[in-house]
Every structure is written in structure tokens, then in C-alpha cells.
């Protein structure tokens, strides 16, 4: 492979949630007033996270840490407008692979002149009406990504995968990732968690079969080289430019790869 994916070109989250100081009150203040002050303080915190300075979006990365983990699906849903700018016409026909794909597909479908399909790697438990509708129409499929996807080569312009590869061992990654690149004509985008973030909760182990193993960017780069996958430098550059304009900071690693021709 001529060039390696650039591991230095990634966005780490350094934002912090403001901490409210202690609320001081006189002993003669009524309990209702104290409760009211606490509620107002909580609303101010929520308002800051949703709007922030300069109209920034909610800091999902920080919220994920508070909740004890990181969801790259949440990152992807705020990443879609940036991907749209980075990939342009390559976003015309998108396949998303990962859990909760019904939500991701529904959001992508809101983009103008964009078609979207999804692959759910795990059984759909308690799917809502919208998700059941997508499945009945064949827009979303349930398929084990450890095996070849039921699509012809270059069936989609862009393939995006999140919250799925971190649960696969190298044995299956060696087959799954090239297969994802096989069904893409213009590129493959991979979202992966950073090492050190909390693994799957105990309740999730039965669903995923194994705890998530978040790998470093250097590990992924070696893996891409071994599987003959090349960095999509053009898309990566455009992505960085679009992200910088919107002050986007991701809690997940984002890799841009070329498709297999």
C-alpha cells in the first residue's frame, strides 16, 4: 500500500462540562426557594451543554463519559452533516452497519438526495414501529457481519460502520472489514472506540457475545496494511476541513478507507 492512514489526524474530545458551584442560601430561606435554585442550576447546565458558547451542539462525548461508556452510533448521528460535506455525491447511496441502525438510517434518509440501508448485527429486541417498517421493506436487514454481506460488489457508494467491529476478534475482522469495503464503490468509514474507554456493560455481554476491545490507531493502521486497505486521503482531508469549521470533536476514532476494486 502506497500510503498509510494518518493516525495523527484524529479528533479527541477535550471539552469539559462546567461544574456548578455550591448554592449558598440563608437559613431563613424557604425549602421551595432552595429547590427552585437547584432546578434552575440544573437547567443552566443542560442549556450550556445543548447550546454552549457560540451555538455549539451538545457535547455528546462528555455525556458518554458520564454515562460510563462511548456510543459511536451517537457520534455518527452528529457526524452525518460533516460526512455529507466531505463525501458529497458519494453520500447518495449509503449502507450503515451497526446496532441501532434503524435510528441511523432514519436520520440519513432525512438528507436531501440520499438513499440509505442498514445492517443490524444483532437481534432486534423491542423494535419500534418505525424500525419494524424499515425491516419489512427490506431497508434494514439483520445479518451476522462475521459472514459475507448479502450484497453484490459496489452495491453502495459509501459504507459506514459503527459499534460493531470493536466486538469482533481479529479472526473475523480479517474477513469482515474487506467485505465491507467490497460492497462500497467510493469508500468505507469506520468509527471505533478509543482504548481506555469503558467496555460493554455486563447486561450487554449476552447480546454482543464478548466485551468490546477498543484498539489503538496504530493497531488499526497495521491491520489496514495487512488487509491491503488504503486510506482515502481526499475524503479524510475534506472531513478534517469540515470538522474544523464546525469545531467537531469526536469521542470515537474515524477512519476513511478506499473501497476494494
Amino acid at each position: 500500500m502506497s500510503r498509510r492512514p494518518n493516525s495523527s489526524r484524529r479528533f479527541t474530545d477535550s471539552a469539559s462540562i462546567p461544574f456548578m458551584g455550591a448554592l449558598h442560601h440563608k437559613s431563613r430561606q424557604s425549602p421551595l426557594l432552595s429547590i427552585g435554585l437547584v432546578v434552575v442550576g440544573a437547567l443552566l447546565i443542560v442549556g450550556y451543554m445543548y447550546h454552549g458558547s457560540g451555538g455549539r451542539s451538545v457535547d455528546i462525548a462528555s455525556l458518554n463519559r458520564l454515562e460510563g461508556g462511548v456510543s459511536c452510533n451517537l457520534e455518527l448521528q452528529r457526524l452525518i452533516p460533516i460526512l455529507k460535506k466531505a463525501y458529497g455525491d458519494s453520500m447518495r447511496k449509503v449502507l450503515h452497519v451497526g446496532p441501532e441502525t434503524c435510528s441511523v438510517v432514519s436520520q440519513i434518509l432525512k438528507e436531501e438526495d440520499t438513499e440509505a440501508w442498514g445492517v443490524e448485527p444483532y437481534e432486534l429486541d423491542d423494535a419500534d414501529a418505525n424500525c419494524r417498517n424499515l425491516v419489512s421493506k427490506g431497508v434494514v436487514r439483520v445479518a451476522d457481519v462475521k459472514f459475507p454481506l448479502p450484497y453484490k460488489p459496489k452495491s453502495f457508494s459509501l459504507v459506514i460502520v459503527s459499534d460493531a467491529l470493536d466486538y469482533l476478534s481479529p479472526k473475523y475482522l480479517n474477513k469482515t472489514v474487506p467485505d465491507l469495503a467490497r460492497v462500497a464503490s467510493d469508500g468505507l468509514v469506520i468509527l471505533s472506540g478509543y482504548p481506555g474507554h469503558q467496555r460493554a456493560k455486563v447486561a450487554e455481554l449476552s447480546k454482543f457475545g464478548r466485551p468490546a476491545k477498543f484498539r489503538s490507531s496504530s493497531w488499526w493502521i497495521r491491520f489496514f496494511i495487512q488487509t491491503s486497505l488504503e486510506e482515502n486521503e481526499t475524503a479524510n482531508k475534506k472531513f478534517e476541513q469540515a470538522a474544523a469549521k464546525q469545531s467537531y470533536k469526536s469521542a470515537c476514532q474515524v477512519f476513511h478507507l478506499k473501497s476494494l476494486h
Side-chain angles (χ1 to χ4, degrees):
M1 184 176 76
S2 59
R3 294 291 300 275
R4 293 186 176 186
N6 191 338
S7 62
S8 65
R9 293 184 293 185
R10 68 187 185 189
F11 295 86
T12 57
D13 176 60
S14 59
S16 59
I17 296 178
F19 185 81
M20 287 287 293
L23 294 175
H24 299 285
H25 56 277
K26 297 180 179 180
S27 58
R28 292 185 179 181
Q29 289 178 323
S30 68
L32 289 177
L33 178 58
S34 300
I35 294 173
L37 290 174
V38 172
V39 171
V40 170
L43 290 175
L44 288 174
I45 293 177
V46 173
Y48 182 93
M49 290 188 294
Y50 269 91
H51 299 287
S53 60
R56 291 177 60 186
S57 59
V58 60
D59 190 349
I60 295 180
S62 296
L63 290 177
N64 282 335
R65 290 198 184 97
L66 285 178
E67 293 172 358
V70 171
S71 169
C72 289
N73 279 334
L74 288 178
E75 285 296 309
L76 175 57
Q77 292 185 49
R78 62 194 287 249
L79 184 67
I80 289 172
I82 298 176
L83 288 173
K84 184 78 172 180
K85 292 183 178 180
Y87 282 89
D89 291 340
S90 293
M91 282 281 288
R92 66 186 181 278
K93 193 174 182 180
V94 179
L95 173 69
H96 173 256
V97 179
E100 308 298 334
T101 191
C102 290
S103 298
V104 176
V105 167
S106 295
Q107 182 169 345
I108 295 176
L109 287 173
K110 295 177 182 178
E111 298 292 326
E112 187 177 356
D113 300 324
T114 301
E115 300 177 23
W117 283 264
V119 172
E120 167 66 58
Y122 313 104
E123 291 297 327
L124 288 169
D125 299 324
D126 301 324
D128 58 22
N130 176 63
C131 189
R132 291 195 299 271
N133 183 48
L134 292 174
V135 172
S136 66
K137 292 181 177 179
V139 175
V140 170
R141 295 186 180 186
V142 178
D144 192 337
V145 295
K146 294 193 293 291
F147 302 98
L149 295 175
Y151 302 109
K152 296 180 180 179
K154 303 180 183 180
S155 294
F156 307 93
S157 55
L158 187 68
V159 174
I160 306 172
V161 57
S162 59
D163 285 341
L165 300 182
D166 293 326
Y167 293 92
L168 297 182
S169 66
K171 172 184 175 182
Y172 291 110
L173 283 174
N174 288 332
K175 298 179 180 179
T176 298
V177 178
D179 191 53
L180 292 169
R182 174 187 66 83
V183 300
S185 62
D186 296 343
L188 169 64
V189 179
I190 294 175
L191 275 71
S192 175
Y194 281 112
H197 287 181
Q198 183 170 327
R199 276 58 174 170
K201 300 176 183 178
V202 175
E204 295 176 341
L205 295 183
S206 59
K207 177 178 180 179
F208 296 113
R210 56 181 288 129
K213 183 177 182 180
F214 299 138
R215 301 161 172 106
S216 66
S217 60
S218 60
W219 187 97
W220 280 110
I221 290 170
R222 289 193 298 270
F223 172 79
F224 297 145
I225 293 173
Q226 293 169 0
T227 50
S228 300
L229 292 169
E230 299 182 33
E231 179 190 20
N232 191 333
E233 296 181 10
T234 301
N236 190 52
K237 184 177 181 179
K238 291 181 179 179
F239 174 84
E240 289 182 352
Q241 293 172 345
K245 288 181 179 179
Q246 297 190 27
S247 300
Y248 171 77
K249 297 179 180 181
S250 175
C252 295
Q253 301 179 88
V254 183
F255 299 100
H256 305 266
L257 303 171
K258 293 181 179 179
S259 59
L260 289 179
H261 297 296

